[in-house]
Amino acid sequence: MKNQADIKKIIPLRLNRSELAVPGSRPEIFEKAAASKSDAIFLDLEDSVAVEKKNKARENTLDAIRNINWKNKTLSVRVNPMDTIFFKKDIEKLIGFNNQKLDLIMLPKVNSEKDVMKLEKIVNRLENLYKVKKKIGFELIIETAQGLINVNKIASSSNRIESLHFGAADFAASIGAKTMSIGGTHNDYGTLNSISGKKKRNFFLNDIWQVALFNIVVAAKANGLRAIDCPYGDFNDNEGFKALAKSSYSLGFDGKMLIHPKQIELSNKIFSPTKKELNDAKEMLKIIKKSAKSGKGAIAINGKLLDIVTIKQAKNIVELNNKILLKKND
Ligand code: GLV
Ligand code: MG
């Protein structure tokens, strides 16, 4: 396995706060998506496209990669899963007709590192065959019970991997969780506090995705990858979206897949450092620099001791902000 520093050199720095899903079967909304403020777009050939429209959606998508101006957005295509009759043709066409505009292939329902190695082999062969200069990167969706069990091996299985994504809807189906809305919570997943006299008992809702999210973010970050949270299907529920997005931002996620353009601005805002976070981080780095010069060891700010990890976190915040500024100036 490569160490984190080596891998970071290979993976391009990309903003990934918002990644809008655009069904390949709906070319009428491509231009609008290209003009949006989403950091990344994925044109979808998988679950938002009905089986009888798969071939047409692929044609639309190839056409859109070549002919639409995607500006400074990261462009990805979600292909059909490996065990479908559409998968091979999806990859062949995408690599064969790539005119250097496609950045990433998103592979859904990844079950093990073998899936990634198989994809890599196919892509290597096609890129050689077509003499493609720009190497394509991979985004992998962890959304099956098998995928979650194997997530650590998956995360280090190819140098092309840029990010791990969580797919809550498929994951729920895979383990038999009883959620009905994409990426939402379940009001029965919780517990009561213990009986104490006649006091009314309180119900505490638990986060049904906690374990999956935690494992995914750890596997991603251990390998220098971005971690992207699942879509939130109820696009009229801004409060629900915000709560879950803030929760994954605070855990270390870099962004969310989005199901509706309404969610773009919210996501960009939540996955950007706040003014206070940025000022605190800058202040911290300034003080640390000063104390290093004067040869002081451990230092405290506002009554809290700083260690190497806090410094790293401060650097991450400043680095993320620099990426956002670069995008604004593009
Ligand atoms: C996304 O692909 C999901 O299954 O939630
Ligand atoms: Mg899915």
Side-chain angles (χ1 to χ4, degrees), residues 63-128:
D63 196 49
I65 296 170
R66 271 174 261 145
N67 299 322
I68 287 184
N69 179 3
W70 296 97
K71 308 204 176 81
N72 54 1
K73 291 180 176 55
T74 296
L75 187 62
S76 178
V77 173
R78 180 164 77 171
V79 296
N80 287 288
M82 290 195 129
D83 58 357
T84 63
I85 52 164
F86 306 107
F87 168 75
K88 273 218 168 114
K89 197 155 180 199
D90 288 349
I91 303 290
E92 250 160 45
K93 295 274 178 185
L94 285 172
I95 304 294
F97 290 92
N98 188 6
N99 59 348
Q100 314 298 316
K101 283 193 193 161
L102 187 62
D103 300 298
L104 301 162
I105 284 176
M106 183 187 278
L107 185 66
K109 300 180 180 62
V110 178
N111 284 315
S112 79
E113 68 282 8
K114 288 191 196 112
D115 291 346
V116 185
M117 278 141 66
K118 189 170 154 193
L119 173 66
E120 172 147 63
K121 209 168 150 192
I122 299 171
V123 168
N124 283 346
R125 183 178 63 75
L126 291 168
E127 282 186 348
N128 283 336

Side-chain angles (χ1 to χ4, degrees), residues 46-47 78 141 143 166-171 182 230-231 257:
E46 199 215 8
D47 283 350
R78 180 164 77 171
I141 316 187
E143 52 183 348
F166 177 50
D170 272 296
F171 187 70
I182 299 174
C230 63
M257 290 193 275

